[in-house]
Amino acid sequence: MAFATRQFVRAASSDAATAAAKKLLIKHVTIIGGGLMGAGIAQVAAASGHTVVLVDQSDEILKKSTKGIEESLKRVIKKKFADKPEAGAEFIQKTLKNLTTSTDAASVVHSTDLVIEAIVENLEVKNKLFQTLDKFAPEHTIFASNTSSLQITKMANATTRQDRFGGLHFFNPVPMMKLVEVIKTPMTSQKTFESLVDFSKAVGKSPVSCKDTPGFIVNRLLVPYMMEAVRLFERGDASKEDIDVAMKLGAGYPMGPFELLDYVGLDTSKYIIDGWHSLEPNNPLFAPSPLLNKLVEEKKLGKKTGEGFYKYK
């Protein structure tokens, strides 16, 4: 019996070693989209020793992205290397050495291990991008989307590599936020999933796993919470100010739901809830809000426009 047990343990260990050997060690990363999210992902990937190419439509956008990364790195070293300025300067130099930029995605994916898409939240635009890159990327390359609200499965189906496709949802600001949601579709292979988890850990994040369900974990809980706060206000049950104070002092949240809505952007929140409502029209959690729709129609989108639920100077 003991012999059989030893044989089983050895076999299990061998199987685990074989599975580990099959995982892709991600060294070269291509990030599409030089906005806040794309630049943030590029920064943490380059800082952790990956070779990174950041892609966007123009050199002007990429110069802005690179400048933003440099400024962010300076803030990082003030904390990380407070007593070692020389080590901090070396850290910035090494990170930037790992980072290059390009305006031609198709020409730079030929040697990449991982493509992370962080462009506009539009399924048609994303699918068109992935269809194009699918023709030029090597067979082993994993594709991932940083979407916060769209179905990963629909994007994967636009390519011929459904088993090498998953979600990597980082949070803003990427250098500060420790969480990454790793999304596995029904077609995502275990090898791909484990490679994405390992990459998330390699860039210093704490990965959590979720199926391809609307909003994944965080937004699936957060967006309905914010929408219910709006409905509470719409019904006249409480003022938006008191709702925000209640959630900060009573639940310990750093921001109230209306403050958070203004920070995220009312157009973004409306886009997410409208998309979910189209998928599950009978789900009361995903019901649209007349007040939110009105504010978006009036271009009162939150902090970025100077007014949303609150006014900003």
Side-chain angles (χ1 to χ4, degrees), residues 34 55 118 124 128 134 164 176 180 191 193 200 202 208 243 256 290 308:
V55 180
E124 189 178 342
K128 188 175 180 182
D134 195 31
R164 286 149 287 153
M176 301 294 293
V180 175
K191 172 185 171 181
F193 171 72
S200 302
V208 293
I243 294 170

Side-chain angles (χ1 to χ4, degrees), residues 1-34:
M1 182 68 183
F3 174 76
T5 302
R6 286 196 298 272
Q7 288 287 84
F8 175 77
V9 169
R10 276 199 293 270
S13 300
S14 175
D15 289 345
T18 302
K22 289 179 180 178
K23 282 191 290 185
L24 174 66
L25 179 61
I26 295 168
K27 296 180 179 179
H28 190 293
V29 185
T30 300
I31 296 157
I32 315 294

Side-chain angles (χ1 to χ4, degrees), residues 24 106 109-116 127 129-145 152-167 185-189 192-193 196:
L24 174 66
V109 297
H110 60 85
S111 60
T112 197
D113 299 317
L114 172 64
V115 172
I116 302 176
N127 282 351
L129 171 70
F130 282 125
Q131 283 173 343
T132 301
L133 298 183
D134 195 31
K135 298 171 185 175
F136 295 95
E139 188 178 339
H140 79 275
T141 304
I142 295 171
F143 283 7
S145 175
I152 303 293
T153 303
K154 288 183 178 179
M155 292 179 233
N157 285 337
T159 74
T160 61
R161 60 183 76 216
Q162 289 96 332
D163 61 322
R164 286 149 287 153
F165 205 115
T185 77
M187 300 94 74
T188 306
S189 70
T192 295
F193 171 72
L196 291 174

Side-chain angles (χ1 to χ4, degrees), residues 46 66 69-70 73 91-100:
T66 304
I69 290 170
E70 289 174 0
L73 286 169
F91 172 75
I92 291 179
Q93 188 178 9
K94 280 185 176 180
T95 300
L96 294 177
K97 192 177 179 181
N98 290 334
L99 176 66
T100 56

Side-chain angles (χ1 to χ4, degrees), residues 214 220 224 231 273-274 276-281 283-288:
R220 181 60 180 261
R231 295 184 194 107
I273 208 71
D274 286 352
W276 294 358
H277 181 65
S278 68
L279 288 173
E280 299 181 27
N283 190 333
L285 292 175
F286 300 162

Side-chain angles (χ1 to χ4, degrees), residues 186-251:
M187 300 94 74
T188 306
S189 70
Q190 187 64 19
K191 172 185 171 181
T192 295
F193 171 72
E194 290 178 5
S195 298
L196 291 174
V197 168
D198 287 351
F199 171 74
S200 302
K201 292 177 180 176
V203 299
K205 303 303 179 187
S206 298
V208 293
S209 170
C210 186
K211 291 181 179 179
D212 190 17
T213 186
F216 315 135
I217 298 173
V218 173
N219 282 339
R220 181 60 180 261
L221 297 173
L222 187 61
V223 174
Y225 151 73
M226 293 191 295
M227 294 302 295
E228 191 57 28
V230 175
R231 295 184 194 107
L232 196 67
F233 176 49
E234 283 178 321
R235 292 194 300 267
D237 294 339
S239 70
K240 59 182 184 292
E241 292 83 3
D242 281 354
I243 294 170
D244 277 350
V245 169
M247 293 313 295
K248 286 188 286 186
L249 300 185

